[in-house]
Amino acid sequence: MASSDNLLLAQIVTILGPDNTQFETLISHLMSAANEQRSQAETLFNLCKQHHPDTLVLKLSQLLHSSLHAEARAMSAVLLRRILTAGSARERAPGMIRKLPQFIKRLFEILMKMLLDVEDDPAWHSAEVEHEDAGETSNYSAGQEYLDRLSISLGGNTIVPVVSEVLPAYFAAPEWQKHHAALIALAQIAEGCSKVMTKNLEQVVTMVLNSFHDPHPRARWAAINAIGQLSTDLGPDLQNKYHHLVLPALASAMDDFNNPRVQAHAASAVLNFSENCTPELLKPYLDGIVGKLLVLLQNPKQMVQEGALTALASVADSSQEHFQKYYDAVMPYLKTILVNATDKTNRMLRAKSMECISLVGMAVGKDKFKDDAKQVMDVLMSLQGSQLETDDPTSSYMLQAWARLCKCLGQDFLPYMNVVMPPLLHSAQLKPDVTITSADSDADIDESDDESIETITLGDKRIGIKTSVLEEKATACNMLCCYADELKEGFFPWIDQVAPTLVPLLKFYFHEEVRKAAVSAMPELLRSAKLAVEKGQSQGRNESYVKQLSDYIIPALVDALHKEPETEICSNMLEAIKECVQICGSLLDESQVRSIVEELKQAMTASAARRNERAERVKAEDFDAEEGEMLKEENEQEEELFDQVGDCLGTLLKTFKAPFLPLFDELLPYLMPMWGKDRTDEEKRIAICIFDDVAEHCGDAAVKYYATFLPFVLEACNDTSTDVRQAAVYGVGMCAEYGGVAFRPYVGEALSRLDAVIRRPDALHPDNVMAYDNAVSALGKICQFHRDSINAAQIVPAWLNCLPIKGDLIEAKVVHDQLCSMVERSDGELLGLNHQYLPKIVGVFADVLSAGKDLASEETATRMINLLRQLQQTLPPSAMASTLSSLQPQQQLALQSVLSS
């Protein structure tokens, strides 16, 4: 056996040696019709992959670049794609490859040479849509794809040093093709290297912007392309730091009238740039950019018009109400295109005008848009009624435009729902277009060269799915969710058709976006039904209909969660379950509640298993910084999952209160590890929040948990994390309020812990103010419920001295209401000897009242005003005058306006 292994290994050395003919023979045998020959070739290929992944990738790249046989080049492309896509953190090849910088440099140089294979085809300059790829060869396209895959697979720490070494010579060379290749390479690696490139942002942006002045239009186009891609992959850092350089550069590129391709691409890059922008950041540039885009809209070239339309749509979406100023200038052009672009060649132009009109309408709001809205909707309705061809992009653009118009118009959109819903339901019900092949054969040249086919491996099968169908289905499902969310009870007539369409899609494993949309829609459907019943708009249906719907939706969600493979979607499902319980918790029966609890157990068990697996991965010998980054992202997803578990539990406790505690006790063994010293701040915070919910919602029944958890909570009051501190001091407040005598033994320690939070020198820093406000609130609860256990003459004035609180607006209302009650009952320790604290109390009232509705409920504010008027009438004028004179000028003004009104 050992000798045959040695023989195979010797064969591999020959195959991967300097003579390429042996390697090319191996690749041709992988495509052989003879089973035995193909099987032997697969064994050898897999051994190459196992023992020498670096050399194998290099050989495949060379073959792809220089083989004379089209079949060998195609096969190399498929195999390379598979090896590079296998770059998940759990696979060995990328980790081994990263350890070989010389190999990576050689591979990178081969891919750069492939990018040079581009010709200056005159058709490119014509800027006709059908010549979009003019001059690009198959080598050029393959080089682009593998740079992208390589950077995603190996990551920035590995790729960026090689790029920094290789690209300067390309930028310095005289040939435009080299400038073009360098710029294309930067765009292709940005996604995989985003973290490392963001650290070297200035260098990257300068390199690209210098090429905006390149003498060759194709190099200028590539520079604009790079800025567009970097805006997406390195945003919003790039936008925040370099808007003053990038936007003017793109604006001047839009003036390149001799090169419409360059103009169109500059408009497209404005779209990428503005997607990661705040309205405030865009505002100073809007006059210039909108003006230039309006000029481009009138350009005879369709490519330029389309670029201008998508850019205008994005700029409107990102600038929101600031776009109102341009509405009257822009909308007539958009409506003209919508009405007149009826020719088959103009279909995409018309589709993009719909997108632009609907985004502009959303940006400026219903009042500004409503006069044009009816005309636009009439055009869309007539298009919807016409027979559109299957490849007409109008359909998918129209789906999204309708949904945006609904968001803009709200309930005014209801009359159009009969037109919108039938095609939407049809798209949501599309069956996936699937082909199934065997997964074990690397020689299976599947359709993965076809960009419209996506392949996934399930068990021993490889499944190819047509992505256009899936994308249309996902869009439609998202739109259904959007309508239910926007129209609330108005969506009721459609629930009976939408629920049976979306519920089965909770387990649609071909496409994550479809599942996510179906998950998000579940609580929206329940909310719509409940509101319709409550408002008498449910066509005679009563609460039993809501119960029937929740009996259909909630078990389906729970079952889908049980089988869901993706951590992120598990989080979404837990959030949806929580919302469903909030909407119709009282309708759930005991078995449904138990099934939710069982899923919470499973989610925590699976999460713990993943945690252990990650701990093992850290110990692997080829563990490196790139894997470290991936682990960090996985840990963040895990924390999000725990957060949703905590929220879900909190909602169950809030809904069912003490009767839920027997089930809570079953969960305790799963929750206890979250209190461990080795846990992250976020996990500690979530664990404390769960205890807070028990203390708040379960009254006396919660007391039995104090001995176990309160010592943890008290210690956490002085944690280094401000979020942990906030959760802990809130919990102390809840125990003080609801714990009665059980809390008495903890009062002394609670006071000193709260005092430490309140006295921190940086207590009022924006990061810490929420913890401070909650500590002040908890101190107030101790004053209110445990006065006989404290030195009230000292502690009540200390509490008063912390008021008003202004960070946590929920706690502020509670605390200021408590102050009001204490003044109403003439609390002696609060007012002090000879009313010595009265000026402070009046000052707090003045601050609270001048803040409008933020710091007190309307009812509390009214009580405060009545108290101030009573004081004015009962206090001797001199005492009132001295009280007012001790206030700040703005407090005096606030009081005068309140008392005189």
Side-chain angles (χ1 to χ4, degrees):
M1 181 69 194
S3 65
S4 69
D5 282 355
N6 290 339
L7 197 64
L8 280 173
L9 292 173
Q11 254 183 295
I12 288 172
V13 171
T14 314
I15 288 168
L16 297 176
D19 176 9
N20 280 338
T21 51
Q22 298 264 9
F23 186 71
E24 191 150 355
T25 304
L26 172 74
I27 298 303
S28 68
H29 285 178
L30 283 173
M31 298 181 280
S32 165
N35 286 342
E36 195 178 340
Q37 191 175 48
R38 189 172 72 243
S39 172
Q40 282 176 340
E42 283 174 12
T43 304
L44 284 168
F45 183 85
N46 287 331
L47 281 169
C48 290
K49 190 160 84 172
Q50 201 177 335
H51 294 284
H52 302 285
D54 51 341
T55 318
L56 177 63
V57 169
L58 213 50
K59 282 281 187 193
L60 287 168
S61 307
Q62 285 164 339
L63 199 60
L64 177 65
H65 183 220
S66 49
S67 172
L68 301 173
H69 304 108
E71 297 89 350
R73 289 202 303 277
M75 190 63 188
S76 306
V78 170
L79 296 171
L80 246 184
R81 180 183 286 126
R82 280 210 196 126
I83 294 173
L84 292 180
T85 310
S88 80
R90 293 179 184 75
E91 304 241 5
R92 241 178 103 57
M96 288 172 66
I97 290 171
R98 281 191 207 108
K99 297 273 187 287
L100 303 160
Q102 278 321 101
F103 151 71
I104 292 162
K105 187 179 173 194
R106 282 173 61 200
L107 175 57
F108 189 76
E109 284 170 336
I110 292 173
L111 297 178
M112 287 303 294
K113 283 200 181 108
M114 291 168 80
L115 290 186
L116 292 174
D117 202 349
V118 61
E119 295 147 19
D120 195 11
D121 186 331
W124 185 88
H125 297 270
S126 71
E128 300 301 342
V129 176
E130 65 268 25
H131 299 314
E132 201 158 359
D133 303 330
E136 296 177 9
T137 61
S138 60
N139 257 350
Y140 169 83
S141 305
Q144 270 191 305
E145 181 187 342
Y146 297 126
L147 272 172
D148 180 35
R149 286 175 186 262
L150 190 69
S151 68
I152 289 172
S153 173
L154 301 186
N157 291 316
T158 308
I159 296 288
V160 170
V162 176
V163 173
S164 309
E165 197 180 335
V166 173
L167 287 197
Y170 273 74
F171 277 115
E175 304 90 339
W176 71 266
Q177 288 92 338
K178 288 198 167 169
H179 306 172
H180 187 273
L183 291 159
I184 294 295
L186 279 174
Q188 292 306 105
I189 66 167
E191 184 185 356
C193 304
S194 58
K195 287 203 166 103
V196 180
M197 285 173 84
T198 302
K199 289 177 193 154
N200 306 300
L201 204 49
E202 184 173 7
Q203 193 187 347
V204 175
V205 171
T206 308
M207 234 187 304
V208 176
L209 288 181
N210 286 342
S211 299
F212 270 56
H213 308 294
D214 196 288
H216 199 285
R218 286 201 80 145
R220 294 201 297 282
W221 179 94
I224 292 165
N225 181 65
I227 277 293
Q229 196 56 52
L230 295 172
S231 296
T232 299
D233 294 328
L234 311 185
D237 294 304
L238 184 141
Q239 283 81 343
N240 293 338
K241 289 179 185 162
Y242 298 104
H243 55 89
H244 62 291
L245 299 176
V246 173
L247 284 171
L250 290 173
S252 67
M254 285 194 262
D255 292 336
D256 190 349
F257 287 96
N258 295 326
N259 292 287
R261 275 296 287 265
V262 173
Q263 285 181 296
H265 218 48
S268 299
V270 166
L271 163 127
N272 298 91
F273 189 90
S274 60
E275 278 179 336
N276 263 321
C277 270
T278 60
E280 270 29 69
L281 195 137
L282 269 182
K283 190 181 175 187
Y285 305 99
L286 287 174
D287 283 1
I289 284 177
V290 174
K292 286 180 194 278
L293 290 172
L294 281 176
V295 172
L296 297 190
L297 263 192
Q298 298 161 73
N299 189 299
K301 295 279 183 195
Q302 189 178 333
M303 185 186 281
V304 179
Q305 284 185 302
E306 283 180 20
L309 273 174
T310 48
L312 266 175
S314 178
V315 167
D317 190 31
S318 298
S319 56
Q320 288 300 308
E321 69 277 6
H322 298 312
F323 202 81
Q324 289 205 351
K325 170 180 175 184
Y326 310 100
Y327 181 86
D328 295 334
V330 171
M331 193 50 83
Y333 285 112
L334 301 181
K335 288 198 303 188
T336 303
I337 294 172
L338 178 67
V339 173
N340 296 335
T342 50
D343 194 334
K344 186 169 180 176
T345 56
N346 287 334
R347 292 187 311 193
M348 188 48 111
L349 195 61
R350 180 173 66 190
K352 293 203 164 170
S353 73
M354 285 174 199
E355 173 182 63
C356 192
I357 288 170
S358 58
L359 280 164
V360 167
M362 270 177 71
V364 300
K366 177 173 163 178
D367 293 343
K368 187 86 177 150
F369 180 55
K370 63 174 185 283
D371 293 341
D372 292 306
K374 181 164 184 348
Q375 189 186 346
V376 170
M377 311 262 256
D378 289 345
V379 175
L380 295 190
M381 276 172 58
S382 68
L383 279 172
Q384 187 108 328
S386 64
Q387 280 300 305
L388 296 171
E389 291 175 27
T390 48
D391 62 343
D392 190 337
T394 308
S395 304
S396 65
Y397 276 81
M398 196 147 53
L399 280 185
Q400 299 189 50
W402 279 124
R404 291 191 202 102
L405 293 167
C406 172
K407 252 187 164 37
C408 176
L409 300 173
Q411 299 295 319
D412 292 355
F413 187 82
L414 282 171
Y416 299 94
M417 285 293 283
N418 287 326
V419 178
V420 171
M421 284 298 287
L424 194 55
L425 282 162
H426 173 261
S427 296
Q429 289 161 359
L430 285 171
K431 295 276 181 282
D433 188 343
V434 177
T435 50
I436 299 176
T437 53
S438 153
D440 53 9
S441 163
D442 260 327
D444 244 335
I445 295 195
D446 49 28
E447 288 298 305
S448 59
D449 269 354
D450 178 353
E451 283 183 5
S452 66
I453 302 279
E454 189 179 317
T455 56
I456 48 177
T457 304
L458 283 180
D460 60 351
K461 296 282 182 278
R462 182 172 291 125
I463 300 174
I465 310 165
K466 198 157 189 180
T467 50
S468 57
V469 175
L470 293 183
E471 277 155 18
E472 183 181 339
K473 189 177 182 74
T475 301
C477 294
N478 269 312
M479 300 300 121
L480 288 171
C481 184
C482 173
Y483 287 124
D485 173 36
E486 193 57 49
L487 297 171
K488 303 281 188 288
E489 63 276 10
F491 193 73
F492 183 86
W494 303 100
I495 293 176
D496 283 347
Q497 282 169 275
V498 173
T501 300
L502 292 185
V503 166
L505 298 180
L506 295 170
K507 296 182 195 164
F508 188 80
Y509 300 113
F510 296 122
H511 200 280
E512 286 181 17
E513 289 307 315
V514 171
R515 294 207 300 290
K516 283 183 187 172
V519 170
S520 304
M522 295 300 109
E524 300 306 340
L525 295 177
L526 275 177
R527 190 176 285 116
S528 169
K530 188 176 182 208
L531 285 170
V533 168
E534 285 170 359
K535 295 185 177 185
Q537 295 177 24
S538 55
Q539 303 164 341
R541 302 274 185 79
N542 58 16
E543 195 175 46
S544 66
Y545 174 75
V546 184
K547 165 79 176 141
Q548 198 184 330
L549 188 64
S550 91
D551 285 349
Y552 177 45
I553 284 177
I554 292 177
L557 257 177
V558 171
D559 188 46
L561 172 60
H562 189 76
K563 300 181 174 115
E564 176 53 53
E566 295 295 328
T567 308
E568 184 192 349
I569 299 180
C570 285
S571 294
N572 297 354
M573 288 177 165
L574 283 165
E575 186 175 16
I577 290 169
K578 172 196 79 180
E579 286 185 39
C580 291
V581 173
Q582 284 169 342
I583 295 160
C584 51
S586 57
L587 302 176
L588 266 68
D589 59 45
E590 198 175 331
S591 66
Q592 288 171 340
V593 178
R594 170 164 284 287
S595 71
I596 294 173
V597 170
E598 291 303 324
E599 278 319 303
L600 294 181
K601 290 179 192 173
Q602 192 212 325
M604 286 188 277
T605 306
S607 183
R610 289 192 295 267
R611 166 191 289 281
N612 295 336
E613 187 201 328
R614 284 197 294 278
E616 287 307 308
R617 269 158 59 194
V618 174
K619 297 175 194 165
E621 62 175 291
D622 59 355
F623 183 80
D624 56 18
E626 290 303 334
E627 268 205 72
E629 286 290 346
M630 292 175 97
L631 283 189
K632 196 171 149 210
E633 283 173 24
E634 287 176 36
N635 281 328
E636 282 166 8
Q637 278 195 349
E638 218 65 71
E639 285 182 351
E640 172 59 26
L641 181 79
F642 263 128
D643 200 10
Q644 295 301 342
V645 167
D647 282 357
C648 207
L649 247 181
T651 300
L652 290 166
L653 285 159
K654 200 179 207 163
T655 307
F656 301 107
K657 305 202 168 20
F660 179 72
L661 287 176
L663 285 172
F664 176 74
D665 289 341
E666 287 184 29
L667 284 165
L668 270 182
Y670 299 85
L671 297 171
M672 287 309 288
M674 289 171 71
W675 296 82
K677 293 266 185 240
D678 59 332
R679 290 308 168 109
T680 64
D681 291 342
E682 181 61 5
E683 286 171 315
K684 280 193 274 188
R685 181 194 71 75
I686 295 161
I688 293 167
C689 286
I690 293 169
F691 171 74
D692 294 354
D693 284 325
V694 172
E696 183 173 0
H697 301 299
C698 300
D700 294 344
V703 165
K704 65 176 182 179
Y705 302 102
Y706 282 19
T708 309
F709 294 111
L710 248 183
F712 281 120
V713 173
L714 287 165
E715 189 184 340
C717 288
N718 305 124
D719 197 89
T720 50
S721 156
T722 178
D723 291 337
V724 171
R725 288 202 301 279
Q726 181 190 343
V729 295
Y730 180 81
V732 170
M734 289 302 106
C735 294
E737 183 169 351
Y738 298 110
V741 289
F743 183 68
R744 192 175 293 158
Y746 303 98
V747 168
E749 187 183 349
L751 286 176
S752 71
R753 296 279 186 182
L754 295 174
D755 187 55
V757 177
I758 290 167
R759 284 179 189 272
R760 279 176 72 109
D762 58 352
L764 292 174
H765 182 278
D767 290 344
N768 299 327
V769 74
M770 298 295 274
Y772 173 85
D773 285 1
N774 280 270
V776 173
S777 177
L779 185 60
K781 287 180 166 48
I782 292 176
C783 292
Q784 185 176 347
F785 297 102
H786 299 276
R787 193 166 299 197
D788 52 352
S789 304
I790 62 171
N791 176 354
Q794 184 189 347
I795 289 172
V796 173
W799 171 72
L800 172 63
N801 217 28
C802 300
L803 306 187
I805 57 172
K806 299 178 177 178
D808 186 330
L809 300 183
I810 296 172
E811 287 308 307
K813 292 183 176 71
V814 172
V815 168
H816 300 141
D817 183 74
Q818 182 188 342
L819 174 67
C820 212
S821 301
M822 288 165 79
V823 177
E824 282 168 344
R825 61 169 186 267
S826 301
D827 189 303
E829 278 108 355
L830 181 77
L831 295 170
L833 204 57
N834 300 324
H835 288 38
Q836 71 188 83
Y837 303 128
L838 194 58
K840 172 65 184 171
I841 294 168
V842 172
V844 173
F845 280 11
D847 286 339
V848 170
L849 292 169
S850 63
K853 293 179 179 168
D854 282 350
L855 304 183
S857 68
E858 231 170 288
E859 188 240 356
T860 306
T862 308
R863 284 162 58 207
M864 282 184 176
I865 293 167
N866 290 338
L867 282 167
L868 286 166
R869 290 196 172 132
Q870 278 172 28
L871 284 173
Q872 201 178 19
Q873 286 156 15
T874 55
L875 279 185
S878 58
M880 193 62 184
S882 77
T883 297
L884 291 175
S885 67
S886 66
L887 302 180
Q888 303 288 332
Q890 72 268 27
Q891 291 175 319
Q892 292 181 14
L893 283 172
L895 280 186
Q896 281 161 6
S897 79
V898 164
L899 293 172
S900 60
S901 62

